[in-house]
Amino acid sequence: MTTDVRPTQPALSRPRRKTRVVRVGSVVVGGDAPISVQSMTTTDTRDAAATVAEIRRLEEAGCEIARVAVPDREAATVLGAIKREIGVPLVADIHFDYRLALIAAEQGVDCLRINPGNIGERSRIEAVVKAAKERRISIRIGVNAGSLEEDILERSLKASHPLLAVQAYRLMAEQCDYPFHLGITEAGPLVPGTVKSSIGLGLLLAEGIGDTIRVSLTADPVEEVKVGFEILKALRLRHRGVNIISCPTCGRLEIDLFRLAAEIERRLAHVTEPLDVAVLGCVVNGIGEGREADFGIAGGKGVGLLFRKGEIVRKVKEAELADALVDLVESSLRHSALTPAG
Ligand code: SF4
């Protein structure tokens, strides 16, 4: 389905919807291309330095396509300067004024996101399409329920209610073979937004619908990228970086697992190879529950077990567990003891 599915994992039962291939700069969207994860900046786009800094943070988190709002002419004219400083494709988000799209195209962006519901008459949309065609820039048609006139609201594709969005995408999937950008718009703060996005995007992705995703959160956009990859990891559609398998803890717990799990997640955040790392509270269930993991620890009374592929490597004092696990993962990656998937 995608190139970085781990071979041992069960696949989804529904095959991916067949879509045509579209290029967003260096990123292929649609067809058999991996489902890409994108985000949108929160900075004032006119402040090019701040916008570049935020996009670089997004890139570090794995973001593959970055979108910026283009509210006015000044924002449109700095797009070229932003584009030159970043590695990921740049999407200009345009509402209302088609002339901003024309400037963005001249500035060399990789994709124009327009909303035909508010761009106005047909000739304006045609002018944008012509400019994009001349420069081989892709266009994303983004239709948010909140941005539409009442008369076309009922036909909206992107909505903040996940089930409404799911229905709309399903209907559209029957009508065309364009690749879909999935998003639950204005989903909310970190926790409710993650839940709504996971349900909406998860249902669709499990049905094979969706070619690129953006989790929209009222939070640091880096969180959007992290949640996006977690959704794809949970569905076994992509596996980038460390997948932490940690237990919820219970009365058997004898170590500070919350702190340990957070520390290990932070210290292995730089790993991009697909790895399952188990951080479990006790040996009673720890080894068994973590058997499928590439590496792991299981806590005990002041001491824990370090294991690899379900085999015990050695006993380690609690205070040294995080160091021992991180060292084992990093040294194994250095020696290519583990073959990354895809
Ligand atoms: Fe409880 Fe141990 Fe299971 Fe964690 S691994 S939930 S501590 S039994």
Side-chain angles (χ1 to χ4, degrees):
M1 192 175 284
T2 57
T3 55
D4 53 1
V5 176
R6 305 196 83 188
T8 55
Q9 306 301 339
L12 295 173
S13 52
R14 296 282 285 274
R16 185 155 163 201
R17 172 176 162 257
K18 291 208 183 318
T19 55
R20 64 175 82 180
V21 169
V22 173
R23 281 197 162 271
V24 180
S26 57
V27 174
V28 176
V29 176
D32 290 326
I35 296 163
S36 46
V37 174
Q38 47 181 295
S39 184
M40 186 166 178
T41 54
T42 58
T43 51
D44 181 340
T45 308
R46 292 167 294 195
D47 185 345
T51 304
V52 166
E54 188 165 81
I55 293 175
R56 287 191 180 153
R57 285 202 303 121
L58 289 170
E59 286 177 4
E60 269 172 39
C63 178
E64 292 161 315
I65 299 172
R67 180 158 48 115
V68 295
V70 185
D72 58 23
R73 206 182 160 82
E74 199 185 332
T77 50
V78 299
L79 292 172
I82 294 170
K83 166 97 183 119
R84 283 190 289 280
E85 298 296 322
I86 60 172
V88 288
L90 184 64
V91 183
D93 191 273
I94 316 280
H95 286 271
F96 307 114
D97 189 347
Y98 80 107
R99 290 166 301 184
L100 300 178
L102 302 183
I103 300 171
E106 277 169 23
Q107 291 280 318
V109 299
D110 300 289
C111 177
L112 297 169
R113 181 271 169 122
I114 58 165
N115 182 343
N118 64 27
I119 282 284
E121 62 197 48
R122 188 183 174 94
S123 64
R124 294 177 178 180
I125 296 171
E126 282 174 354
V128 175
V129 171
K130 185 166 171 281
K133 248 186 172 173
E134 282 168 8
R135 291 175 172 81
R136 303 186 66 79
I137 296 169
S138 53
I139 293 182
R140 176 186 151 216
I141 309 291
V143 187
N144 290 34
S147 63
L148 294 179
E149 302 295 336
E150 203 61 35
D151 60 331
I152 45 176
L153 185 57
E154 286 173 25
R155 287 176 279 155
S156 167
L157 190 55
K158 230 173 119 204
S160 68
H161 193 299
L163 299 181
L164 183 62
V166 166
Q167 265 182 327
Y169 278 110
R170 279 179 183 152
L171 288 173
M172 276 297 290
E174 292 167 7
Q175 309 283 322
C176 68
D177 69 349
Y178 287 107
F180 283 172
H181 166 117
L182 301 188
I184 305 299
T185 192
E186 287 121 31
L190 187 58
V191 172
T194 297
V195 171
K196 284 187 216 166
S197 296
S198 303
I199 290 172
L201 273 52
L203 279 168
L204 289 162
L205 291 166
E207 292 175 16
I209 297 174
D211 302 279
T212 181
I213 63 171
R214 187 240 173 152
V215 172
S216 137
L217 298 174
T218 312
D220 183 338
V222 165
E223 300 298 329
E224 299 186 346
V225 177
K226 287 188 196 165
V227 173
F229 276 105
E230 289 299 329
I231 291 172
L232 296 179
K233 277 185 212 173
L235 289 164
R236 299 293 176 189
L237 289 168
R238 291 191 71 176
H239 192 143
R240 178 192 186 276
V242 171
N243 175 37
I244 300 271
I245 301 160
S246 58
C247 77
T249 80
C250 72
R252 293 192 189 89
L253 186 74
E254 291 181 291
I255 60 170
D256 185 357
L257 198 76
F258 288 4
R259 185 196 56 75
L260 204 54
E263 180 180 348
I264 287 164
E265 184 183 25
R266 178 178 54 75
R267 289 178 63 183
L268 293 179
H270 65 285
V271 174
T272 53
E273 286 84 351
L275 283 183
D276 287 332
V277 174
V279 182
L280 302 162
C282 75
V283 284
V284 175
N285 293 318
I287 300 276
E289 288 175 6
R291 187 163 287 136
E292 301 298 322
D294 298 302
F295 300 95
I297 50 173
K301 200 168 187 154
V303 64
L305 294 177
L306 181 66
F307 56 93
R308 177 181 180 158
K309 295 274 181 199
E311 301 289 330
I312 295 171
V313 177
R314 63 188 166 93
K315 270 191 182 174
V316 184
K317 285 186 199 151
E318 182 185 344
E320 293 161 16
L321 270 173
D323 287 347
L325 179 62
V326 171
D327 285 352
L328 180 65
V329 171
E330 289 181 341
S331 64
S332 298
L333 288 175
R334 266 199 305 278
H335 297 111
S336 304
L338 203 97
T339 309

